Amino acid sequence: MKAAAIFGPGDVRVMDIEKPEPGPGELLVEVKACGLCSSELGMWVDPNFKTDDPIFFGHEVSGNVVAAGAGVSKFAVGDRVTIFTDRGGYAEFVTVPEDWAIKLADHVPYDWALGEPIGCAMNGTSRSGIEVGDTVVLIGIGFMGGLIQQGARLKGASRIIAVDTRPESFELAQKLGADHVIDAREGNAIQRILELTGGEGADVVIEATGKQGALDMATEAVRIRGRLVIFGYHQGGKRTIDVQAWNWKGLDVINAHERDPQAYLKGIRTGMKLLEAGQLDIAPLLSHYFELKDINHAFLLAKSKPDGFLKAVITF
Ligand SMILES: [Zn+2]
C-alpha cells in the first residue's frame, strides 16, 4: 500500500509498504480522508529536523472498516468510522484499536469527519467555561477558530466578536454568524472591543492563533474576573505574558488542551454527534483537497497560506 512518511523539512515521501494486519481487538480501516494538521507543520519547516528512518504520520482520519481482528465486538466490516490514531493516517490503510474508533452516520461525509481537530475544538470549547449570555472574543478564525466559534454559540454566547488579519477569516466568521468582525491590521482592535463591551472587556477571550500578539491582545480585551482561554498551539520559543495584568484582573486562565487519548475520544464523540445533528458546519472550513501523491504541495500551501486557504485534506 501507499503511505506517506516525513524525513526532513519539505521532504515527505510516498512509499510502498506492507499493508498492516489488524491485531486482536483492532480494525483495519481503509482511509478515505486525512486532514493536514498545522501541528505537523513544525516538523515540515524545521531546518534541524532530519531522519533516515521514515516517520509515518497523519492523525485526522476517517474511512471504512475493511477487516476486524479477533475479539472485535463493536464494529463490523463496512462500518464508516472516524478514528484517533498515532500510526500514520496518510496511508491507504491503517489499523486502530476498536476503542479508538467512532461510528459515523451515513450522511456525514468522510472529509467532514476529521476526528482529532474537531474533538480538540469541542474540548477547548467545553473548557472555555462560556456561560449563557456571555460576550466572547475569538482571536484567530481559521479551521480551528471556525469550529470554536460554532461551539461558543452552542454554549450560549450572546455575542461573538471575531478578530483576525485575513480576509478569508472575516468572511468565514461572518458566514458562521459572528456579530462583529474586527480587522486587527487596523491597529485598533482593543479599542473596538472595549467600545463594544461598554469599556469593560469581554467575559471570555479565546486566543486561537498560537502567537504572542494574540496573547497580549487577549490580556487587554478580557474583563476583570473574566476568562482567558489559550487554545492556540504555541510553538517556536517562549512567550511573555503580563502576569501583573492577569493578576490584577483576577483572571481565570485556561490552557485548553488535552493529552489523554480518552479525553480526545470524548471530544471527538461530541463533535460527531453535533455533525450528525447538523449543528456543526464544516464545509466552509475546508478549502483545499489533495491526493496523497501531492502531499508535499499540500504542506507547502499550509505553510504559505495563499488567499482563501483554511484547511487542506488528503482524500483517497
Ligand atoms: Zn491535528
Side-chain angles (χ1 to χ4, degrees), residues 184-208:
R185 292 172 304 183
E186 289 173 5
N188 62 349
I190 290 154
Q191 193 190 325
R192 295 257 341 258
I193 292 164
L194 291 175
E195 276 165 19
L196 290 166
T197 54
E200 291 191 356
D203 301 300
V204 179
V205 178
I206 303 174
E207 180 280 307

Side-chain angles (χ1 to χ4, degrees), residues 72-278:
V72 164
S73 61
K74 298 181 203 108
F75 293 89
V77 169
D79 280 346
R80 307 169 79 252
V81 290
T82 186
I83 64 169
F84 181 58
T85 183
D86 52 6
R87 294 182 184 175
Y90 296 126
E92 290 177 294
F93 298 92
V94 64
T95 57
V96 65
E98 67 169 334
D99 288 342
W100 286 24
I102 292 154
K103 244 177 240 179
L104 291 179
D106 285 345
H107 67 274
V108 176
Y110 288 116
D111 59 315
W112 290 13
L114 305 177
E116 183 268 343
I118 296 173
C120 188
M122 293 306 102
N123 281 335
T125 309
S126 296
R127 295 269 304 273
S128 71
I130 294 169
E131 292 183 9
V132 176
D134 275 353
T135 292
V136 175
V137 167
L138 175 60
I139 308 172
I141 301 94
F143 177 74
M144 296 305 265
L147 289 168
I148 290 173
Q149 187 182 320
Q150 297 177 69
R153 193 66 89 187
L154 290 167
K155 288 271 284 175
S158 66
R159 234 171 14 145
I160 296 176
I161 303 169
V163 185
D164 207 297
T165 56
R166 303 172 70 221
E168 39 275 290
S169 297
F170 308 145
E171 200 182 304
L172 178 62
Q174 248 145 11
K175 205 182 285 179
L176 298 175
D179 301 282
H180 306 276
V181 176
I182 295 176
D183 182 349
R185 292 172 304 183
E186 289 173 5
N188 62 349
I190 290 154
Q191 193 190 325
R192 295 257 341 258
I193 292 164
L194 291 175
E195 276 165 19
L196 290 166
T197 54
E200 291 191 356
D203 301 300
V204 179
V205 178
I206 303 174
E207 180 280 307
T209 69
K211 302 221 168 80
Q212 175 71 55
L215 276 180
D216 297 338
M217 185 184 291
T219 299
E220 291 198 64
V222 67
R223 70 165 165 83
I224 289 169
R225 292 294 280 118
R227 301 172 84 92
L228 194 160
V229 183
I230 304 173
F231 181 81
Y233 186 46
H234 287 267
Q235 292 175 294
K238 290 187 178 175
R239 301 291 183 261
T240 57
I241 49 171
D242 186 349
V243 174
Q244 202 173 331
W246 283 14
N247 187 260
W248 189 81
K249 284 188 171 181
L251 300 181
D252 288 338
V253 178
I254 298 140
N255 285 278
H257 292 269
E258 304 290 347
R259 290 292 165 255
D260 176 0
Q262 291 309 322
Y264 275 97
L265 286 160
K266 181 169 179 277
I268 296 171
R269 277 190 203 97
T270 301
M272 293 307 122
K273 270 192 274 184
L274 293 172
L275 263 189
E276 203 176 318

Side-chain angles (χ1 to χ4, degrees), residues 37 59-60 116:
C37 183
H59 58 264
E60 305 183 351
E116 183 268 343

